[in-house]
Amino acid sequence: MAHIALFHSVYGLRAVEHAAADRFRAAGHEVVTPDLYAGAIATTIDGGFALKDRIGWEVIVERARDAVGRMSAGTVLAGVSMGAGVVGELLADRRDTAGLLLLHGITEIPASARTALPVQLHVADPDMFAPPAAVADWEKAAKSVGAAVQVFTYPGVGHFYTDASLRDHDAEAADRTWRRSLDFLRHL
């Protein structure tokens, strides 16, 4: 069983993150879903970026630090899109992190990360926020600091393909993502 902190996208904490957490809980994992926006939710991606900017990145990261501060050092850090960036901010101070699960976004893996840190990435191909060249560079950089990286790309789907409420949704790709994510968590 893994302990997981799942950080939401730029839209805010919504049904898609709650459903992912429920899926992980059903497999026996303990999951928290910190609300980094304190209840605010956007209905469009532009609205999400405006909300993020209004709250401020420093406040978002501080809320995330507060949320994981009470969790074990071996907590899995998981992030959905913007949440992947949050994970990157926390990782430098959480060397004993059990693993990283990155959905719809990449983040820098610092050189201070523990050797062989398990990292699994799921992104659309192409993805406007994580273009193929950026993903290739990210994978090379993550491996260069010793991370054990798995990259799964999903051709022809939209950026946030796991969210059934958005036009990006692709049921088949989402199902593969959740199966692969559960397998990743099971092997940590």
Side-chain angles (χ1 to χ4, degrees):
M1 173 189 68
H3 297 275
I4 305 165
L6 176 63
F7 298 102
H8 62 74
S9 76
V10 74
Y11 285 92
L13 182 59
R14 298 174 309 124
V16 65
E17 288 90 6
H18 289 299
D22 289 344
R23 189 180 296 259
F24 296 151
R25 287 183 191 109
H29 304 293
E30 290 186 13
V31 186
V32 299
T33 53
D35 186 349
L36 306 177
Y37 286 1
I41 295 175
T43 58
T44 67
I45 197 156
D46 290 339
F49 280 110
L51 189 53
K52 177 187 76 75
D53 291 345
R54 185 167 38 88
I55 293 167
W57 187 247
E58 295 79 19
V59 171
I60 291 167
V61 171
E62 190 56 38
R63 288 174 179 170
R65 280 195 180 99
D66 288 346
V68 298
R70 299 175 294 278
M71 299 181 76
S72 73
T75 296
V76 174
L77 300 177
V80 178
S81 195
M82 178 199 79
V86 172
V87 165
E89 294 282 348
L90 300 178
L91 188 55
D93 298 329
R94 297 188 62 88
R95 185 164 165 72
D96 294 330
T97 296
L100 304 183
L101 178 59
L102 306 175
L103 304 160
H104 315 294
I106 55 179
T107 192
E108 182 179 347
I109 310 296
S112 62
R114 71 178 172 83
T115 302
L117 174 69
V119 181
Q120 191 176 79
L121 170 66
H122 300 268
V123 291
D125 181 17
D127 187 306
M128 63 184 166
F129 297 109
V135 171
D137 291 346
W138 172 85
E139 182 177 12
K140 183 178 177 183
K143 287 180 176 178
S144 76
V145 297
V149 178
Q150 291 180 304
V151 175
F152 294 102
T153 59
Y154 301 86
V157 301
H159 168 69
F160 206 167
Y161 64 86
T162 59
D163 188 340
S165 74
L166 299 176
R167 288 187 347 204
D168 286 353
H169 184 249
D170 185 287
E172 183 180 330
D175 183 60
R176 281 185 292 161
T177 296
W178 298 128
R179 282 188 282 116
R180 288 169 169 165
S181 297
L182 286 167
D183 188 56
F184 173 74
L185 294 168
R186 185 172 39 256
H187 288 97
L188 290 180

